[in-house]
Each structure stands twice: as C-alpha cells, then as structure tokens.
Amino acid sequence: EADLSGLDLRNADLALYAAKGNGRGCYRFFSESLLEVAEDRRVLEDDLRDALARDQLSLFYQPVVCTRTSSVTGVEALIRWHHPVRGMISPAVFIPIAEEANLIDSLGEWIIRKACDDAVQWPGAIRVAVNVSPVQFANETLPTIIMSALATSGLPANRLELELTEGVFLSESAETDKMFSALKGL
C-alpha cells in the first residue's frame, strides 16, 4: 500500500488532467512544466477575478458589412483583456478560465451591459451582437440580465443580437426551449 503525500497526489492529479486533455487511451507522467502551467493558470484566474474592477477589460467592435450595399449594418462585440504585466491576453486563453472558475456569468453580464451602453450612443439602427456561452445560456437569470441592460441603457431590443455557440444546441431540453422562448419574447 502506497503512502502518498499531498504533493504526490497533486502531481498525480496534474498528470491525470494532462492525459485527459490529450484524449482517450493515453497517459502522462508528472513534469515540472505541468506544475508551471497549473500555477500560471491559477494566477490568471486570480487576476481575472479583479480585472473588471481594475478596468482592464475592454470591448472592441468588429463591423458587420452588407455585401450588397457595402454599408455597416451592425457590429460584433469582442472582449479584450489588457493585463498590466502580460499585456493583451487572448480570449481563447481567458474565456475557458472564466468558464471553469464560474466567472463567465459576471463577465458575460458586464459584456451585455457595456455593449448596450455603447450601442445606444451610435447613430441609426446599427445592431450590436454579443456572444453568449452555453454556461450563460443555461443561467435562468439571463433574460432578466438582458432586460435590465436594455432598460438601463435605453437600447431598443431589436438592436441587440445574441450569438449562440453550437454548444447551446447540444443539450436541447425543455430548459433550452424555455430559454429560447424567454429570449425571443424580449
């Protein structure tokens, strides 16, 4: 019977998650690089928790152009994180961390509110599209958050588009149908 210390269990756990990340039927041995990656991820998670308060997150808007008229019909909101030490951090890095650390709901709410606040100041009927993750979509408070963001900003509901990833459709259920109905009702 092996007597494993806390460090041994942590190291085994890191190797297990690295093996799972590589797919089925493989294994990984613990290495210091696994520990470095895990520690870096933990630090990023801690920094992300405070990023909103430190005004490090920004929205940039990518135009959506009608090919027939060459006119801008809308924009897509893209979140960016400017870390004070690391510089720009890709959403491909920090969004999965936000989802795993249960930060995606507060981050998503900030994006929706900021996009509505910005869009209401634009001329004409330009629409703003905001990506909604499967985690956000599963949150029953999403319609209330959207309603509040629209009411607070004064943005007409028809100028806000919600872009849903394929993951939303993988778990079609009564809850999914109910959420679609609630959002369409807005």
Side-chain angles (χ1 to χ4, degrees):
E1 203 172 295
D3 183 24
L4 297 175
S5 71
L7 287 177
D8 292 333
L9 288 174
R10 181 206 61 202
N11 295 350
D13 196 42
L14 289 171
L16 173 66
Y17 281 104
K20 284 182 177 181
N22 287 333
R24 304 186 115 201
C26 68
Y27 63 91
R28 291 283 304 264
F29 292 104
F30 171 78
S31 68
E32 288 298 319
S33 66
L34 292 177
L35 186 58
E36 289 169 14
V37 168
E39 178 59 19
D40 186 55
R41 189 174 179 91
R42 187 197 61 76
V43 169
L44 271 179
E45 179 183 323
D46 290 345
D47 290 348
L48 185 56
R49 289 184 190 284
D50 298 324
L52 274 171
R54 291 190 234 140
D55 201 28
Q56 295 172 357
L57 296 171
S58 303
L59 286 185
F60 288 77
Y61 297 98
Q62 179 174 310
V64 176
V65 179
C66 175
T67 56
R68 188 174 36 82
T69 64
S70 297
S71 61
V72 175
T73 59
V75 295
E76 180 178 3
L78 304 172
I79 189 165
R80 298 295 182 257
W81 179 14
H82 187 265
H83 191 280
V85 175
R86 299 177 188 222
M88 295 303 282
I89 298 178
S90 169
V93 171
F94 72 84
I95 294 296
I97 292 172
E99 288 177 337
E100 291 172 19
N102 295 321
L103 298 171
I104 197 67
D105 286 326
S106 58
L107 185 61
E109 181 174 351
W110 178 83
I111 293 167
I112 290 167
R113 290 184 182 283
K114 175 79 170 129
C116 288
D117 289 344
D118 289 349
V120 78
Q121 298 174 39
W122 302 332
I126 291 179
R127 299 166 61 99
V128 62
V130 175
N131 291 309
V132 176
S133 78
V135 174
Q136 289 173 274
F137 189 82
N139 184 339
E140 62 188 26
T141 64
L142 181 62
T144 304
I145 290 167
I146 292 170
M147 219 167 36
S148 172
L150 291 170
T152 302
S153 68
L155 184 72
N158 66 345
R159 288 187 54 202
L160 176 64
E161 289 183 13
L162 302 177
E163 292 191 356
L164 307 173
T165 63
E166 302 82 26
V168 168
F169 302 102
L170 293 178
S171 62
E172 283 196 49
S173 64
E175 288 81 22
T176 302
D177 292 342
K178 184 178 173 184
M179 182 61 78
F180 274 123
S181 294
L183 292 175
K184 285 179 184 179
L186 293 176

